[in-house]
């Protein structure tokens, strides 16, 4: 504990650079705006900003991305409450009770509930990260390459089977990601692999063009086509609730009424966040369901219950802190946002993993403290600028999408100053469109692409250590447990999905309707 | 790749998520063509000519017909890119 506070004090000293807090504040503001604009998720925001972190020092760069993630998490709730159009996928659940309240003329009350719940849960979850990262890292140091490889396999399995299109497609996508990760130089011999004689390919493919192609360019093109098909216009968002009622206050008794929901959401979200692949939407959903079940008035849920908003927002924001524990201690990203942050770490020449906490403790604690500052910024900006930000929702999408496409191309170029990277973005955009058409999730592919080199290295280190004896993965208790758990998870999920499919009940979480909760 | 293909073919779930958009959608193909053209222009003419040429086309494809707004937006975006990348970050665009 003494060492923890010593590192925190050293980290605090690093924070004295104005650039870091400015980056965090800027990240929160950009995140709030981009999260509030439907069609631009937190993922698009992070993808767009990752290349720009290259120009900042490591702490400022990562602080920017973390601030972005936090800002976008709350920003998504703004259009969800005001227009019933979630700005981010995790805000779907917030809309269940937020929008009915807005229709009653209590939009301000709903927004304040969302803001307070988000910031409290986020701060508490950051405390979990602050106090638990070091013990987990200490445990991680004790495991060898065999166990590390098994943990990566387990994480990849979890990420694949929880993908919204189902476990089999998820695993297929993960395998493709692993295959893509083999492109480039062999990590041990340096010989080019799958390069087909191309010098550019033999250097490997960077994460930035891949992420921008998959999650920005193809997403924007897909959204444009969907919007045109549905004839959606952002001008349609002007709804008639604004002149109804003026109850925008949030009293202390209302806060006390929401406190159990916030506490429950924080616990559930923190537990979900620490597991790879589960994601904030699930945290939000489970927290909402648990609060509804525990409520004396479950009939109010879906009709404007403040506890519903508090549960949903605390559930999704509480995932933020613990989500970084596997990333920092094992180098395993818990979700796509963490994977992109891992990409940013790598771009800065830093490699998260078991030794990272020991080698970079002051820097990491500086980042942990920045998280608390980011919550403070989210609270401040959310309280001050919510009204202004909601006006941005009505900016025509034509302009926003065009600018995003151009910035995606700039982001691709500026990392290596190589125009060839633009072809990668084009290629991954086309693959992204094909995946969207075929219902193939891209998140397992990208995370497998990121984890592939680490998995390969650990497996080869194990093979070197144990004279190519592959059975060592099954004779060591920890690795055997993780591999067995992976097999059990796959078998159970496939069995369950097939049963549901036969019964015609297969439904992804993102399509859950309010009436079914 | 073989395993990937087998898993995709065997999966009973893939039909669930297929969307109504066809890959032959003219709008989708137009955007891809515009993307390719933009990348080619960036590679051979430079970034700023590419933005000045492709941003108006992109807006027209979106259905924007107010040419004054298109001109204003293109100029402002190009100026903003110059301010952010060249002036603030010290980056060099091709």
């Amino acid at each position: 504990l003494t060492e923890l506070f010593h590192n925190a004090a050293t980290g605090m000293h690093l924070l004295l650079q104005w650039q870091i807090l400015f980056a965090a504040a800027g990240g929160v503001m950009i995140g709030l705006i981009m999260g509030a604009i439907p069609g631009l998720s937190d993922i698009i925001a992070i993808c767009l900003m990752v290349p720009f972190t290259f120009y900042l020092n490591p702490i400022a760069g990562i602080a920017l991305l973390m601030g972005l993630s936090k800002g976008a998490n709350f920003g998504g709730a703004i259009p969800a409450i005001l227009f019933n159009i979630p700005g981010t996928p995790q805000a779907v659940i917030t809309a269940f009770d937020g929008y009915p309240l807005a229709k009653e003329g209590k939009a301000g009350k709903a927004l304040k509930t969302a803001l307070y719940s988000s910031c409290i849960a986020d701060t508490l979850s950051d405390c979990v990260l602050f106090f638990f990262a070091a013990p987990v890292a200490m445990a991680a140091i004790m495991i060898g390459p065999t166990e590390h490889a098994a943990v990566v396999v387990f994480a990849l399995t979890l990420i694949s089977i929880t993908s919204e299109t189902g476990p089999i497609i998820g695993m297929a996508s993960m395998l493709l990601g692993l295959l893509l990760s083999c492109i480039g130089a062999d990590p041990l011999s340096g010989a080019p692999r799958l390069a087909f004689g191309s010098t550019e390919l033999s250097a490997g493919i960077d994460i930035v063009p891949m992420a921008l192609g998959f999650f920005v360019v193809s997403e924007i093109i897909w959204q444009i086509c969907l919007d045109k098909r549905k004839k959606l216009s952002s001008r349609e968002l002007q709804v008639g609730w604004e002149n109804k009622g003026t109850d925008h206050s949030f009293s202390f008794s209302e806060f006390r009424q929401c406190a159990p929901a916030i506490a429950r959401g924080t616990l559930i979200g923190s537990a979900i966040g620490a597991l790879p692949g589960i994601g904030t939407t699930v945290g939000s959903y489970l927290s909402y369901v648990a609060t509804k079940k525990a409520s004396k008035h479950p009939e109010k849920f879906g009709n404007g219950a403040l506890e519903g908003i508090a549960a949903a927002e605390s559930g999704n924001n509480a995932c933020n802190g613990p989500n970084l524990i596997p990333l920092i201690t094992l180098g395993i990203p818990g979700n796509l946002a963490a994977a992109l942050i891992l990409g940013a770490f790598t771009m800065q020449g830093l490699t998260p993993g078991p030794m990272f906490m020991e080698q970079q403790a002051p820097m990491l604690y500086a980042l942990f403290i920045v998280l608390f500052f980011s919550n403070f910024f989210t609270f401040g900006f959310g309280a001050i600028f919510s009204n202004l930000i909601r006006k941005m929702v009505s900016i025509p999408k034509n302009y926003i999408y065009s600018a995003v496409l151009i910035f995606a191309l700039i982001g691709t170029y500026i990392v290596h100053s190589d125009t060839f990277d633009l072809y990668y973005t084009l290629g991954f955009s086309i693959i992204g469109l094909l995946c969207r058409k075929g219902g193939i999730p891209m998140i397992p592919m990208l995370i497998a692409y990121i984890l592939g080199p680490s998995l390969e290295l650990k497996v080869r280190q194990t093979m070197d250590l144990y004279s190519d004896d592959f059975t060592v993965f099954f004779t060591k208790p920890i690795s055997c447990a993780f591999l067995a758990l992976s097999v059990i998870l796959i078998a159970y999920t496939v069995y369950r999905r097939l049963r549901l499919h036969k019964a015609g009940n297969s439904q992804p979480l993102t399509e859950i309707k309010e009436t079914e909760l | 790749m073989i395993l990937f293909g087998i898993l995709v073919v065997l999966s009973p779930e893939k039909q669930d998520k297929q969307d109504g958009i066809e890959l032959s959608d003219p709008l989708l193909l137009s955007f891809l063509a515009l993307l390719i053209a933009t990348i080619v222009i960036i590679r051979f003419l430079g970034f700023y000519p590419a933005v000045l040429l492709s941003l108006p086309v992109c807006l027209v494809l979106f259905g924007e017909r107010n040419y004054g707004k298109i001109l204003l937006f293109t100029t402002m975006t190009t100026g903003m890119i110059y301010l952010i990348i060249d002036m603030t970050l010290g980056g060099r665009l091709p």
Side-chain angles (χ1 to χ4, degrees), chain A residues 3 7 12 30 79 90 97 124-125 144 193 205 244 293 304 369 382 389 402 431 436 438 441 462 479 490 511 514:
Chain A
E3 198 180 347
N7 285 328
M12 198 71 193
I30 297 169
Q90 57 267 35
D97 287 287
L124 292 174
S125 81
R193 292 185 309 195
I205 304 169
K244 277 178 76 181
K293 276 186 183 165
I369 297 166
I389 289 165
S402 310
I431 296 173
R436 280 187 167 78
T462 306
S479 68
I490 293 171
E511 288 173 16
E514 186 184 324

Side-chain angles (χ1 to χ4, degrees), chain A residues 165 172 228 410 419 423 437, chain B residues 4 17 21 43 47 62 64:
Chain A
T165 38
K228 286 281 171 191
I410 296 173
T419 47
Y423 294 126
K437 179 64 191 164
Chain B
F4 171 74
K17 286 297 287 180
I21 293 171
R43 201 159 161 82
F47 198 87
F62 273 123
E64 183 63 62

